[in-house]
Amino acid sequence: MTAPDESGSTEVKAEVAMFDVPEESLRQICATYRPSTPLKSFRRMFGGYASSNFEVAWEDAKFVLKIATLDLDLEDIQHQVKVMGRVQPHGFRTNYVHKFESPEFIVEHGEFRAILIDFLPGKPADKAILEDAGCAVGLLEKLGGLVC
């Protein structure tokens, strides 16, 4: 946390998660989503605020696998899945969640929970979100407020 500035505002930033995920766990989580399609490659991306993120690729597509420990409340992940599902029919540009052959969007394996989201190449997410802020406000108005 940083100190307050002259206006009294304080900026708080969550700790970036970069915990170890064994390769075998990552492969088994990916196999839960797409058991009939061999994983082609994976690489660690910058950590998220509550997850470690991996670019995972199959022959036909590339995604981001967000892996959190069981310390992250399941309700937080479920809320993220719910919000994405709510805005998807309206064409809001974001990383949507996929489940493919898995019965659930959220996969639990050992000490980890994971979701598989779209890989959007190009700008970092924070810059894309700022550029799409006007679209976000319009979408919220269209949906009648918060999408909780």
Side-chain angles (χ1 to χ4, degrees), residues 7-88:
S7 69
S9 298
T10 302
E11 180 182 323
V12 178
K13 182 173 172 130
E15 183 178 325
V16 174
M18 287 292 283
F19 47 82
D20 287 328
V21 178
E23 179 178 338
E24 186 57 30
S25 294
L26 187 140
R27 288 185 177 281
Q28 288 179 0
I29 291 168
C30 288
T32 302
Y33 285 109
R34 301 188 78 185
S36 59
T37 309
L39 184 64
K40 179 180 172 186
S41 65
F42 63 89
R43 72 173 178 86
R44 181 183 284 278
M45 300 172 73
F46 290 105
Y49 289 113
S51 63
S52 280
N53 300 330
F54 295 85
E55 175 186 315
V56 294
W58 286 270
E59 199 62 45
D60 61 343
K62 189 185 299 186
F63 295 91
V64 174
L65 183 66
K66 295 175 60 80
I67 300 178
T69 64
L70 297 179
D71 295 335
L72 181 63
D73 287 337
L74 178 59
E75 293 79 22
D76 290 344
I77 302 170
Q78 289 169 330
H79 180 73
Q80 183 177 1
V81 170
K82 180 180 179 182
V83 169
M84 288 180 183
R86 181 87 162 91
V87 300
Q88 188 170 13

Side-chain angles (χ1 to χ4, degrees), residues 29-35 98-101 105 107 114-116:
I29 291 168
C30 288
T32 302
Y33 285 109
R34 301 188 78 185
H98 299 275
K99 64 180 183 176
F100 292 105
E101 300 167 53
F105 285 108
V107 169
I115 59 173
L116 188 66

Side-chain angles (χ1 to χ4, degrees), residues 79-97 135-136 138-143 145-148:
H79 180 73
Q80 183 177 1
V81 170
K82 180 180 179 182
V83 169
M84 288 180 183
R86 181 87 162 91
V87 300
Q88 188 170 13
H90 301 281
F92 185 70
R93 198 178 104 198
T94 189
N95 310 73
Y96 293 116
V97 183
C135 294
L139 178 59
L140 285 173
E141 287 177 6
K142 184 177 181 179
L143 295 174
L146 295 176
V147 290
C148 301

